[in-house]
Amino acid sequence: MAVKIRLKRMGKIRAPFYRVVVMDSRAKRDGRAIEEIGKYHPTEEPSLIEIDSERAQHWLSVGAQPTEQVEKLLKITGDWQKFKGEPGAEGTLKVKEAKPSKKDLYEAAIAAAGKAEESGAAATTPKKKAAKKAGEAPAEAPAAEEAAADETAKAEA
C-alpha cells in the first residue's frame, strides 16, 4: 500500500482550512485517513501551521511520501530538514502575536474610565438646576385661590 502525507480540505466555500493527514494514495481527497498529524489554515495572517513533528518524522521514516504542498509545509516547520539531515532544522515558521487576555483588557478599560472621570469632572459643566424665583411663588398662590373660589361660586349658583 502506497502511503502519502497530504492535505484534507475542510471548512466552508471560500473559507478553507486543511488537515495534514496520512492516508492511502488511492483514497479520495477527503476520504478516511490513517492518521491526522496536523492542521493548516491558509486564510489567517500569518498562516497557521501546526504539525506534530514526532509523528511526521515517524511516517517519513517508514516511507510515506509527502505531496508538494505538504513538503513545503514541512520545510517551513523544519521537519523536512530534520528528516533529510540538512541544516536549517529550526524552520521559518512565523507565529501570530499572542492576544491580550480579556481580563487584562477589562482592567485597562476600567483604569482608563477612572482617569477620564477624574480629569473630565472639571471640564464638564454641571446640570442646570431649576431656579426658584421669590417673586413668582407668592404670585401664583393667590391666583390659584381665586380660581378655586370662582369655581365654588359657580357650583353654588
Side-chain angles (χ1 to χ4, degrees):
M1 172 169 65
V3 178
K4 288 217 174 235
I5 302 175
R6 63 187 192 190
L7 296 175
K8 181 177 182 178
R9 189 181 196 281
M10 315 247 349
K12 303 181 207 173
I13 300 171
R14 294 181 202 74
F17 64 90
Y18 301 90
R19 291 187 181 162
V20 181
V21 295
V22 177
M23 58 192 331
D24 182 15
S25 63
R26 296 168 291 186
K28 296 177 183 178
R29 177 192 72 177
D30 298 335
R32 198 174 115 222
I34 297 170
E35 183 179 358
E36 294 178 3
I37 61 171
K39 56 185 174 179
Y40 171 52
H41 292 258
T43 55
E44 291 185 11
E45 188 57 43
S47 297
L48 172 75
I49 302 171
E50 289 182 6
I51 296 178
D52 184 1
S53 182
E54 184 180 314
R55 297 308 298 159
Q57 294 300 319
H58 165 75
W59 283 106
L60 289 169
S61 67
V62 295
Q65 295 297 311
T67 60
E68 290 178 22
Q69 297 88 350
V70 173
E71 188 175 330
K72 288 179 184 177
L73 294 177
L74 292 173
K75 284 181 181 177
I76 290 171
T77 59
D79 293 323
W80 187 254
Q81 292 89 328
K82 195 183 299 183
F83 171 67
K84 290 291 188 178
E86 298 173 355
E90 63 277 353
T92 59
L93 181 63
K94 295 179 184 174
V95 181
K96 186 184 268 189
E97 293 180 16
K99 289 184 179 179
S101 69
K102 289 186 178 183
K103 184 178 180 182
D104 294 338
L105 292 173
Y106 175 75
E107 289 172 355
I110 294 296
K115 290 179 184 176
E117 284 181 11
E118 292 170 5
S119 64
T124 59
T125 55
K127 285 187 174 181
K128 293 183 179 178
K129 294 181 181 177
K132 292 184 180 179
K133 296 182 180 176
E136 289 180 325
E140 290 176 355
E145 290 175 7
E146 289 176 15
D150 289 341
E151 288 181 16
T152 53
K154 288 180 183 177
E156 290 177 3

